Amino acid sequence: MTKIYAIVNQKGGVGKTTSVINLAANLAENGRRVLIVDIDPQANATSGIGIDKNDLERSMYDLLLEESTAVDATIHQEEFRLDVIPSHPALAGAEVELVNAIGREYRLQKGLDGLNGRYDYILIDCPPSLGLLTVNALTAAKDGVIIPVQCEYLALEGLTQLVQTVELVQKYLNPNLKVRGLIMTMYDSRTNLSRQVVEEVRRYFPGKVFRTIVPRNVRLSEAPSYGQPITAYAPKSPGAMAYKVLTAELIKGDKS
Ligand code: ADP
Ligand code: MG
């Protein structure tokens, strides 16, 4: 059975795209068949995995407007042994174009249905908002959401609203939706603040925070400009180690 997760947080810059790319790359290294689905018009996951967003025949835009199947919109990245449904800046307009469309919240789910078990994991990279694109991702994410949280002041701000949105989508659109886990990102071991934020989030979401914490690591921020996951760019870096262990934790939790 394919596991489908949406990586979501309406705050920008918390590590959504970094987590999608590096979880996907590690899942692929573990022999899993992986698809990255980029539903953020900024297309950072697309470019971060080495695909030129300005040179696409088909993208998420065409999928949501039902002008392409998921299979036809998929690009195979042989180098990292994973597949990508790329995003495109035109996707920013889809939110408006779909406003009156029938079944507008289900477009992604319907599209991914056509993949018929080709993948073990599908990871959806969401934009920094709770609009229709994110709602499409939440509706398609049959196995839940993964929420990256940056270890900084006011980390919890916005999470109440995010949880409310998850509950609304669960009630009306996707009865199986749940919070699969929270990833603490950009942890700085030199500060008390990072430690306090982790404790606070653990208290707020008991049992839901992944044990593996992702440190602040400059290698992780450099890798996307080379179009590479950390497994290729700096496999021995602390950031690479963290995502490797985090991936193992995810796989283990999915088995039990
Ligand atoms: P989002 O997708 O939530 O907007 P990103 O994954 O793009 O967030 O991360 C925001 C910025 O922080 C990017 O420049 C990224 O390279 C950088 N970054 C993400 N995680 C880390 C980390 N653990 N250490 C250092 N830089 C990071
Ligand atoms: Mg992003």
Side-chain angles (χ1 to χ4, degrees), residues 13 15-18 40 42 44-45 125-128:
K16 289 183 291 296
T17 302
T18 304
D40 180 359
Q42 290 177 69
N44 292 337
D125 190 21
C126 291

Side-chain angles (χ1 to χ4, degrees), residues 58-236:
R58 295 189 190 84
S59 70
M60 177 54 66
Y61 178 83
D62 307 282
L63 179 68
L64 292 183
L65 292 180
E66 298 187 322
E67 283 159 12
S68 171
T69 63
V71 172
D72 287 341
T74 297
I75 294 178
H76 179 60
Q77 269 302 65
E78 178 54 34
E79 198 182 349
F80 310 123
R81 273 171 288 128
L82 50 79
D83 287 358
V84 185
I85 297 183
S87 179
H88 186 275
L91 188 56
E95 204 136 33
V96 175
E97 290 169 57
L98 286 173
V99 157
N100 293 311
I102 306 253
R104 59 186 183 272
E105 298 96 348
Y106 293 96
R107 294 294 176 104
L108 180 62
Q109 186 205 66
K110 287 270 174 300
L112 297 183
D113 265 353
L115 294 171
N116 282 325
R118 275 169 204 247
Y119 298 99
D120 299 310
Y121 279 91
I122 298 179
L123 302 181
I124 310 169
D125 190 21
C126 291
S129 77
L130 295 174
L132 182 58
L133 294 171
T134 295
V135 169
N136 261 273
L138 296 179
T139 304
K142 70 172 185 61
D143 297 286
V145 299
I146 294 175
I147 307 173
V149 179
Q150 191 180 343
C151 297
E152 55 143 32
Y153 186 58
L154 296 178
L156 277 170
E157 201 188 53
L159 287 185
T160 309
Q161 196 195 357
L162 175 53
V163 167
Q164 280 168 358
T165 303
V166 167
E167 285 169 357
L168 276 175
V169 172
Q170 193 256 345
K171 186 170 171 192
Y172 292 106
L173 299 163
N174 175 6
N176 294 322
L177 191 62
K178 58 171 191 278
V179 176
R180 171 66 178 79
L182 294 94
I183 308 173
M184 302 307 302
T185 66
M186 297 182 234
Y187 185 88
D188 183 347
S189 58
R190 295 165 308 179
T191 69
N192 286 327
L193 178 64
S194 272
R195 208 170 324 123
Q196 283 162 5
V197 170
V198 173
E199 276 171 27
E200 203 181 353
V201 175
R202 281 195 174 131
R203 225 176 302 128
Y204 203 79
F205 293 94
K208 286 284 183 193
V209 180
F210 286 107
R211 251 181 302 126
T212 314
I213 292 175
V214 179
R216 186 173 279 287
N217 178 215
V218 67
R219 295 293 185 196
L220 284 170
S221 59
E222 290 166 357
S225 53
Y226 296 88
Q228 291 184 328
I230 197 69
T231 45
Y233 178 69
K236 294 201 162 67

